Amino acid sequence: GQQLNQSPQSMFIQEGEDVSMNCTSSSIFNTWLWYKQDPGEGPVLLIALYKAGELTSNGRLTAQFGITRKDSFLNISASIPSDVGIYFCAARATGRRALTFGSGTRLQVQP
Amino acid sequence: GAVVSQHPSWVICKSGTSVKIECRSLDFQATTMFWYRQFPKQSLMLMATSNEGSKATYEQGVEKDKFLINHASLTLSTLTVTSAHPEDSSFYICSAYPVAGGTEAFFGQGTRLTVV
């Protein structure tokens, strides 16, 4: 089946540092999404990408849809303590509405 | 913004009993809802696609007779875990796409099921 390989699995950084995480797949997708999940909550959409090569920003967050349509990355600049949480990439294949999720990146920010 | 609400937020039940989880879209209609399961420190895994007025579509390996899904209206889908066992303990999350389109699906806050 379709799988998304997300890395790193976890990160522990100092406040103010930049963060980068990525997802790769052997399959082609037509949509890449990035979500943040806080403990005991559902995921919240951060950024949506719909075109290969697309680079989109949302405040301190920037994400890109890979040219090959098989990967995406998320950057967080100048991290703050409230960035703590689990970040998931998700992707959708042509003809499907359901999402495939990556394994998640657990981010911890030291004040 | 659009809200998807799950009820209950958490539930504890005894082995062998059945538990019903509701997923409601509060301010929009949804012909399609999705049910995901998330084990601790793991990703969300799609269980089934819930279609209003028709049978749900289950992912490979998900027992349709154990996880009963009913999508009786455009704002409500229910997931019933029948004859629950401790290994069914998990975080169940639903999502819904607005009929009107134009956005990604909205996720509920999740339901923590613990089977003892």
Side-chain angles (χ1 to χ4, degrees):
Chain A
Q2 298 169 330
Q3 289 188 337
L4 302 184
N5 302 306
Q6 186 171 348
S7 65
Q9 186 175 16
S10 64
M11 302 183 73
F12 189 99
I13 62 172
Q14 297 291 320
E15 182 176 1
E17 291 184 355
D18 298 342
V19 172
S20 184
M21 59 193 79
N22 69 85
C23 273
T24 62
S25 175
S26 58
S27 302
I28 291 175
F29 294 96
N30 64 2
T31 299
W32 282 90
L33 308 168
W34 285 92
Y35 289 87
K36 180 173 184 265
Q37 185 180 31
D38 291 326
E41 299 289 333
V44 174
L45 181 64
L46 299 174
I47 291 181
L49 303 158
Y50 300 106
K51 289 184 180 180
E54 180 181 358
L55 183 71
T56 297
S57 294
N58 178 9
R60 294 178 295 106
L61 278 60
T62 301
Q64 185 159 32
F65 189 147
I67 289 290
T68 65
R69 296 166 63 193
K70 295 181 179 180
D71 64 303
S72 176
F73 72 74
L74 173 70
N75 288 340
I76 304 174
S77 62
S79 59
I80 59 178
S82 61
D83 290 334
V84 167
I86 303 176
Y87 292 79
F88 289 98
C89 64
R92 184 168 54 237
T94 301
R96 277 177 64 89
R97 300 193 80 186
L99 299 175
T100 299
F101 279 82
S103 51
T105 296
R106 185 178 298 270
L107 177 64
Q108 294 178 283
V109 180
Q110 176 73 37
Chain B
V3 177
V4 173
S5 178
Q6 287 183 234
H7 178 80
S9 294
W10 60 270
V11 57
I12 301 173
C13 70
K14 292 184 178 181
S15 287
T17 62
S18 295
V19 175
K20 180 185 285 187
I21 301 170
E22 294 184 346
C23 177
R24 292 183 184 272
S25 55
L26 297 185
D27 50 2
F28 65 93
Q29 294 182 326
T31 53
T32 304
M33 294 184 175
F34 300 91
W35 288 95
Y36 295 84
R37 180 168 51 185
Q38 185 178 30
F39 291 109
K41 297 187 178 182
Q42 293 190 24
S43 186
L44 284 75
M45 298 299 294
L46 181 67
M47 298 176 66
T49 301
S50 172
N51 303 299
E52 187 268 336
S54 65
K55 291 184 178 180
T57 304
Y58 291 82
E59 295 299 298
Q60 191 173 9
V62 178
E63 300 175 58
K64 62 180 181 180
D65 294 331
K66 180 171 182 61
F67 299 98
L68 302 179
I69 291 173
N70 184 280
H71 196 147
S73 76
L74 289 173
T75 59
L76 174 64
S77 175
T78 61
L79 168 68
T80 302
V81 182
T82 63
S83 187
H85 291 283
E87 56 265 31
D88 297 325
S89 299
S90 188
F91 195 52
Y92 292 86
I93 307 173
C94 70
S95 71
Y97 281 97
V99 171
T103 75
E104 292 297 330
F106 296 96
F107 282 81
Q109 80 277 21
T111 297
R112 170 76 58 194
L113 170 63
T114 302
V115 184
V116 297

